[in-house]
Amino acid sequence: MEKKETNILLTFSIIGLLLLGNVGSAVAVKGNLNNNADFNDSVNCKPVAGSEAKIKNVIVMVPDGCSQSVQTLARWYGGESLQLDEMVAGTVSTYSADSVITDSSSAATAFATGFKTTNGFVSVGPEEDTLLSIVADPAEEYSPLATVLEGSKLEGKATGLVATSRITHATPAAFASHVDNRNNESEIMEQMVYEDIDVVFGGGSQYLLPKADGGKRADGENLTEVLLDRGYRYVDNETEMLSLSSGKTWGLFASSHMQPDIDRAEFAPEEPSLSNMTEKAIELLSDDKDGFFLMVEGSQVDWAGHANDPIYEVTDFLAFDEAVKVAVDFAKADGHTLVIVFPDHNTGGMTIGSYYDSEYDDTSVEDVVNPLEGMNITAAGVANKIGEDLSYDNIKSQLKTWWGIDATDEDVDEILALKNNGTSLDYAISEVISRNHTVIGWTTHGHCGEDVPLWAYGPDSPAGYMDNTEIAEYIADKLRFDLAETNEHLFVEVGEVFSEDNGDGQLDEDEYSLDMTDPSNPVLKIGDAELPVNKNILVKDGVTHELEGIVVYAPATGKVYIPTEALSLINGKN
């Protein structure tokens, strides 16, 4: 009991020091960041408004799963230089805590939090027994890790997320949620809703709705109603989105993922483009006088790489480049906005030149471009058009109509052989047509482990070689907050401050328990206060308080984490 009382007093002392601005010497850092960065002015500094230009806004943009091969192909295919060509700044290493080859969730955790983690984890510490030998000073196992979005929010900045995937997918999830399994998308969505992000655009509305209403949620909660109750506008099509002029907004434009850029006109014309979502998000967020943080993901460049689909890859990358231009145009006019762009990893290992082409040394521009010019939808779109009719005539007809390819019987033989061996029809189409009718090569349907490009624009933009963890540190430094202090402020482990319930049937004011009566809706109880897990809510004496951070439960360790703000409310010192 004495230890717990001491911890409570220590916590209030820390809060007092935070208010006095002396936290730097008072707060114990949870763990050292993977800090190899030197935050002196970058050699590639472009101070738009003069050498003393202050960075007020940061826009992070991620073309998920690509490399400079894709950038090269996009330039050939588009017939002109790209926005990104003007922004080449360096390279980024991508390995995760447990593998040379990262997945999107661990990669996004690194550049959102400054820590390496285990593949599949979302902004929580890694499993200790799987660490690579080169990973030093890892975060505490399974503990939540504060993100640059959360840090920006504490600084009073507006925040936003934009993606063409479900908004609960790995990359956006890592900026606004904390789970040890990227597939826990219902939990991720709940945390996102209660993070109070100002603007959210993407897909994935099924995770807002309970199963009874056609959604995916098993907990019975309707999070769309929560958003409306909290004063958000909610839109689900481009027309409604474009009509927005101010205010906090969620726009989810598909039940699951949005359509690929090249497929949108054919399959979902009501969905907005990535560049339109980016432009609207910037317009709404820039109303905040304190500035903003925005993350934009071109999610499906990655899926094109997985599918080995060249037209999907190049068109989604070009759509992403258009969104980058929107961001850079704003940054040029604003003068206080830093735009940082990088893939999370490469996917597919695309090459311009393939060992299947014996004359690749003599490849012309036309050899590269001409096979792609007749492709009007993705391979998945072609598979959709083929449907259940797998006759030779139908497959050849659809490939001619939608891809401009005069497929042979041998091509169809190969496609059907792959499909009959368990490959999806779209993957089979991409593999065979790439091999037999283009000069594009592929090395894998998975991720790759090499460094990826870094592009940047704005005051004191980064340059050179960076580890992905250093990107988070760089952003935090330029927006003038400390991620370690943010961690301490948002995630106090309850067991370090309060005693676990002694089981006498009465929860004393310095005791806590985790009520798992409804496993889908755990509730942390501390004395007479209740804090639902995954929410930023504390209920005490019949009064509901909104916290500045969410309550996070780590099932693997049984630990629960709450913001420091909750401690004063629990003890009646609001």
Side-chain angles (χ1 to χ4, degrees), residues 427-467:
Y427 274 40
I429 289 169
S430 295
E431 181 173 331
V432 172
I433 300 305
S434 285
R435 179 170 65 238
N436 296 347
H437 293 270
T438 80
V439 297
I440 305 300
W442 305 90
T443 65
T444 179
H445 284 290
H447 295 172
C448 310
E450 68 271 23
D451 297 345
V452 292
L454 171 68
W455 302 282
Y457 177 87
D460 198 20
S461 55
Y465 169 79
M466 301 179 75
D467 184 65

Side-chain angles (χ1 to χ4, degrees), residues 30-211:
K30 191 171 289 186
N32 292 327
L33 297 177
N34 301 289
N35 187 0
N36 299 312
D38 178 1
F39 295 127
N40 294 323
D41 285 350
S42 163
V43 297
N44 199 35
C45 177
K46 306 187 224 12
V48 177
S51 61
E52 298 302 317
K54 177 182 177 182
I55 296 174
K56 181 179 177 182
N57 315 306
V58 170
I59 304 173
V60 170
M61 308 189 74
V62 180
D64 196 295
C66 69
S67 69
Q68 284 178 307
S69 292
V70 182
Q71 182 180 3
T72 305
L73 179 63
R75 195 182 307 112
W76 285 124
Y77 176 81
E80 59 185 3
S81 61
L82 308 176
Q83 173 62 55
L84 288 170
D85 291 341
E86 303 174 12
M87 302 168 59
V88 177
T91 57
V92 179
S93 58
T94 63
Y95 66 93
S96 69
D98 64 338
S99 177
V100 168
I101 299 176
T102 190
D103 85 324
S104 291
S105 59
S106 54
T109 296
F111 51 74
T113 73
F115 282 102
K116 300 284 186 183
T117 197
T118 305
N119 283 346
F121 285 18
V122 178
S123 292
V124 297
E127 286 186 325
E128 293 178 356
D129 59 358
T130 65
L131 294 176
L132 293 177
S133 58
I134 61 171
V135 175
D137 298 319
E140 179 185 336
E141 192 173 31
Y142 296 102
S143 66
L145 303 172
T147 73
V148 289
L149 183 146
E150 291 169 321
S152 298
K153 187 155 62 80
L154 289 179
E155 290 295 305
K157 295 183 180 295
T159 55
L161 294 174
V162 174
T164 55
S165 66
R166 294 190 295 266
I167 202 66
T168 50
H169 223 237
T171 303
F175 284 87
S177 65
H178 308 273
V179 298
D180 64 6
N181 186 338
R182 59 179 287 180
N183 296 321
N184 292 344
E185 293 187 63
S186 288
E187 189 174 349
I188 289 168
M189 182 65 89
E190 186 173 25
Q191 292 187 20
M192 281 186 163
V193 166
Y194 284 93
E195 277 280 18
D196 285 337
I197 305 165
D198 295 275
V199 176
V200 176
F201 291 150
S205 61
Q206 62 191 5
Y207 287 103
L208 287 175
L209 300 175
K211 291 181 178 179

Side-chain angles (χ1 to χ4, degrees), residues 203-225:
S205 61
Q206 62 191 5
Y207 287 103
L208 287 175
L209 300 175
K211 291 181 178 179
D213 293 333
K216 294 281 191 178
R217 303 197 63 79
D219 60 9
E221 295 196 54
N222 188 322
L223 296 180
T224 306
E225 293 179 355

Side-chain angles (χ1 to χ4, degrees), residues 230 536-547 569:
R230 288 185 162 221
N536 70 331
I537 290 174
L538 184 150
V539 181
K540 182 179 170 67
D541 298 329
V543 179
T544 299
H545 305 269
E546 288 189 14
L547 305 173
L569 291 169

